[in-house]
Amino acid sequence: MTPRNITMTSIQEQMRTDLCLAPGVYDALSARMAQQAGFETVYLSGASVAYTRLGGPDIGLLGLTEVADVLRYISEQTDVNVIVDADTGFGNAINVMRTVRLLEREGANAIQLEDQGFPKRCGHLKGKSLVSKAEMVGKLKAALDARRSENTLIIGRTDAIAVGGIDDAIERAVAYQEAGADIVFVEGYRGQEHVDRIMHALHGKVPLMANMVEGGDTPIDSAQTLKEKGYSLVIFPGGLVRALTFAMQGYFASLKQTGTTDSWRDRMLDFTQLNDALQTPAVLELGQRYEP
């Protein structure tokens, strides 16, 4: 089974003509809202799925089938390109092959794999470990062999800056590019000196990805600034969950204190507005076509 047809501009084309900006999503509703806002590509964040589905931290508790389930619902409800955070591939090279085949079948347009050991954790948490460079190269090659379509991009991510420093990260990033990764992602760079070294080693050889985490190790830049630095793809993976968690804290505190939602009415959709956003009238009209 081949990946679903994409009606929007492909990730490759977006990167060729401009920087591809992908907001983080965690379910079909958030992906639909991103599409309605005009985004053509979204990033299915493993961290955000862990936060919202498990109600816990991003420390490797999420499984492949849980990610695939979320991806399937997004594919059913939207036409956006989906970059999927596949963590470590959920095991060794054989596990990576199954991961790629399953996620591609469920609609992934790009699949990100990282070189962390077990237990993996958020790239901006301390205490990470890495598999060897050779093992990660093997996993990337397995991913490339497993994909059904060359249009399904494989992203090679290294978390080495936080573990072995920038020299190790550059060495690994070059190895992942040479192994055939379609995009390379050096996680957790600390500033312009790191960016300069990353660009010197890889710019022009492979598209480069940046990750903007509010309060993380990497300084926050705009998409335009990152484009000027040489990046082709930028994700804001957890911003939505942070915004919603902040809103939920305020909403629940207000409801508990006042016993009503009146003070929040200007910060929420009403029943009709929500159904309009979900295209409920159009769905009901479609169903009526088939009724006797």
Side-chain angles (χ1 to χ4, degrees):
M1 183 176 180
T2 57
R4 63 197 171 98
N5 293 324
I6 299 302
T7 59
M8 292 190 166
T9 306
S10 70
I11 297 171
Q12 298 99 312
E13 185 62 26
Q14 290 178 60
M15 293 192 299
R16 279 194 294 268
T17 59
D18 198 358
L19 179 138
C20 178
L21 168 59
V25 301
Y26 58 86
D27 65 2
L29 175 62
S30 55
R32 172 174 271 189
M33 294 302 101
Q35 180 172 342
Q36 289 182 10
F39 288 99
E40 295 186 295
T41 298
V42 300
Y43 179 79
L44 180 54
S45 163
S48 293
V49 175
Y51 300 153
T52 57
R53 191 151 181 168
L54 304 182
D58 179 22
I59 55 173
L61 301 177
L62 204 66
L64 169 60
T65 55
E66 291 166 312
V67 175
D69 285 346
V70 175
L71 175 59
R72 181 172 65 255
Y73 296 134
I74 291 173
S75 298
E76 288 175 357
Q77 295 296 331
T78 75
D79 294 316
V80 291
N81 304 296
V82 186
I83 303 168
V84 182
D85 177 5
D87 289 345
T88 64
F90 305 99
N92 63 13
I94 299 300
N95 297 104
V96 165
M97 297 183 81
R98 177 172 184 257
T99 294
V100 168
R101 288 169 180 156
L102 178 57
L103 295 180
E104 186 180 46
R105 186 170 68 243
E106 298 295 359
N109 305 102
I111 298 169
Q112 175 196 297
L113 299 165
E114 65 194 43
D115 57 7
Q116 285 194 46
F118 185 83
K120 68 85 57 190
R121 58 187 63 199
C122 172
H124 293 256
L125 288 176
K126 299 184 185 303
K128 295 182 291 292
S129 64
L130 304 178
V131 299
S132 70
K133 179 179 66 177
E135 180 177 344
M136 183 61 183
V137 165
K139 291 169 77 169
L140 289 172
K141 290 181 177 179
L144 293 164
D145 287 343
R147 65 183 177 181
R148 303 286 179 89
S149 169
E150 292 185 356
N151 292 324
T152 303
L153 306 179
I154 301 299
I155 302 173
R157 161 178 157 175
T158 179
D159 286 75
I161 287 179
V163 180
I166 185 64
D167 290 337
D168 186 28
I170 295 294
E171 183 178 323
R172 285 169 175 263
V174 170
Y176 302 164
Q177 174 260 318
E178 292 176 346
D182 299 296
I183 301 170
V184 169
F185 172 19
V186 181
E187 170 68 300
Y189 68 79
R190 268 44 173 187
Q192 189 60 43
E193 180 183 354
H194 283 183
V195 173
D196 291 342
R197 294 197 56 186
I198 293 166
M199 292 299 160
H200 178 74
L202 290 164
H203 188 251
K205 297 180 180 178
V206 66
L208 294 168
M209 172 176 161
N211 178 23
M212 299 290 101
V213 176
E214 299 81 3
D217 294 323
T218 299
I220 298 293
D221 283 322
S222 69
Q224 180 60 35
T225 298
L226 290 164
K227 177 183 176 182
E228 292 168 357
K229 289 182 176 181
Y231 284 97
S232 299
L233 168 65
V234 59
I235 59 172
F236 285 78
L240 177 61
V241 173
R242 277 182 272 280
L244 289 176
T245 303
F246 180 79
M248 282 191 282
Q249 289 176 335
Y251 170 83
F252 285 126
S254 174
L255 180 58
K256 176 67 174 176
Q257 180 179 5
T258 67
T260 178
T261 59
D262 283 346
S263 64
W264 271 74
R265 291 293 296 276
D266 62 345
R267 286 170 281 179
M268 60 195 297
L269 301 181
D270 66 19
F271 181 78
T272 300
Q273 290 169 325
L274 178 59
N275 278 287
D276 286 343
L278 296 174
Q279 300 177 331
T280 303
V283 174
L284 294 176
E285 182 180 350
L286 177 62
Q288 289 172 354
R289 298 182 191 177
Y290 302 101
E291 293 178 358

